[in-house]
Amino acid sequence: MARSGLMAHETSQTTAASSADAAASSGRRSGWNKVPEVTVYFWIIKVLCTTVGETAADLLDERAGLGLTGVSVLMSALLAVGLVVQFRTGAYRAGVYWPVVALISVVGTLVSDNLTDTMGVPLETSTTVLAILLAVVFVVWYRRERTLSIHHIDATAREFFYWLAVLCTFALGTAAGDLVSERMDFGHWLSAVLFALLIGAVALAHFALDLDAVWSFWIAYLLTRPLGSSVGDYLSQPTGDGGLGLGAVATSVLFLGVVLGLVMYLAVSRKDVTQPQQAARHAA
């Protein structure tokens, strides 16, 4: 009986996963959310990926000798491959989702850097333009799907808008972070404190003042980008530039190692899988 129950459980898992993958391939709604639950693990990995995105972009640009254009082409190609894999999965999988977040953090950083360093666009202008672009994405997304909730990323169109919004938040967060730390002369450490306080204010507004959960999430998600980049710059930049002088290599390796460890833990424990998925996975 125990063996029979185990076989039935495995068959149920296989059937459910296959159905979800088939739905993802056809573009219809699978009922399986493609993003993780928003837990403390989510925010920790998000900030760490943001920091890796900041330091990795600098590392590849300056140390690998690829140049800003070469790095942009390489990372965009890797992101495209990652997104293809992500779109073809039928449900959230930590080992697929988080590498895409890490890659999109690098590409988002490069979008802002190209606007500023290659095209000579002032940070004030790029921040404004990227903010407008993000707003347009949200408006189009809502008009089409009638929701911006990440708890309903269960169809190809919604997932497309989700990742487009994520890319915009990374690019905008990079530009806004650079604007605060460089042009307003806050420095890396004070910038990190400022953005951490703003995230705390959003959390307080949500839990104490009943700020809408969807908007609370996206505002906090946006603010974690400049928070992570400020922390990354503070750790990696030379002491003469207001940093700790750990270097881009050490900072990237340290944070990437923590990210990999957490992603492996979540892939095994499934602590960030949405409840409907958990129920389906454990159905006999």
Side-chain angles (χ1 to χ4, degrees):
M1 290 295 291
R3 181 177 178 81
S4 176
L6 175 61
M7 292 177 64
H9 171 65
E10 292 175 343
T11 302
S12 175
Q13 284 190 325
T14 304
T15 303
S18 299
S19 299
D21 288 336
S25 300
S26 66
R28 60 185 174 85
R29 293 183 186 175
S30 64
W32 295 61
N33 201 25
K34 299 290 293 291
V35 302
E37 282 280 7
V38 181
T39 64
V40 64
Y41 298 106
F42 179 95
W43 293 115
I44 291 174
I45 299 176
K46 168 60 167 63
V47 173
L48 292 176
C49 284
T50 294
T51 305
V52 170
E54 180 73 13
T55 56
D58 293 340
L59 178 64
L60 291 171
D61 182 16
E62 298 171 6
R63 302 290 182 85
L66 297 177
L68 195 57
T69 301
V71 174
S72 300
V73 172
L74 172 63
M75 298 311 297
S76 296
L78 291 175
L79 174 60
V81 173
L83 284 172
V84 169
V85 176
Q86 167 65 23
F87 272 84
R88 290 181 65 85
T89 60
Y92 163 70
R93 292 181 174 85
V96 176
Y97 175 89
W98 286 112
V100 173
V101 173
L103 287 169
I104 210 168
S105 72
V106 178
V107 173
T109 299
L110 291 168
V111 168
S112 177
D113 289 349
N114 274 289
L115 288 173
T116 303
D117 299 336
T118 303
M119 302 176 65
V121 178
L123 283 170
E124 296 84 354
T125 302
S126 62
T127 300
T128 302
V129 170
L130 290 168
I132 294 173
L133 179 59
L134 178 59
V136 169
V137 171
F138 280 144
V139 168
V140 176
W141 180 2
Y142 186 80
R143 286 175 63 89
R144 178 184 171 92
E145 300 295 329
R146 310 309 298 176
T147 180
L148 300 177
S149 173
I150 67 163
H151 297 296
H152 301 287
I153 309 300
D154 54 3
T156 300
R158 291 182 177 183
E159 189 172 11
F160 170 80
F161 284 117
Y162 171 79
W163 287 113
L164 185 57
V166 168
L167 177 61
C168 289
T169 63
F170 275 111
L172 173 58
T174 301
D178 290 345
L179 179 63
V180 171
S181 64
E182 297 176 13
R183 297 295 173 82
M184 298 182 180
D185 201 27
F186 271 56
H188 306 309
W189 175 244
L190 285 180
S191 295
V193 172
L194 171 63
F195 288 115
L197 289 174
L198 289 174
I199 293 171
V202 173
L204 180 64
H206 171 60
F207 290 109
L209 303 177
D210 202 28
L211 178 65
D212 180 74
V214 173
W215 287 114
S216 297
F217 169 82
W218 282 112
I219 295 171
Y221 196 93
L222 171 62
L223 291 172
T224 55
R225 177 61 185 90
L227 169 64
S229 63
S230 297
V231 171
D233 285 338
Y234 177 68
L235 293 174
S236 63
Q237 293 301 309
T239 54
D241 293 334
L244 289 181
L246 296 181
V249 175
T251 304
S252 297
V253 171
L254 173 64
F255 280 73
L256 185 59
V258 177
V259 169
L260 289 175
L262 287 173
V263 170
M264 290 175 63
Y265 169 73
L266 292 174
V268 174
S269 67
R270 304 184 61 81
K271 286 184 176 294
D272 61 341
V273 174
T274 55
Q275 291 303 314
Q277 278 184 235
Q278 287 278 29
R281 290 269 183 192
H282 288 87

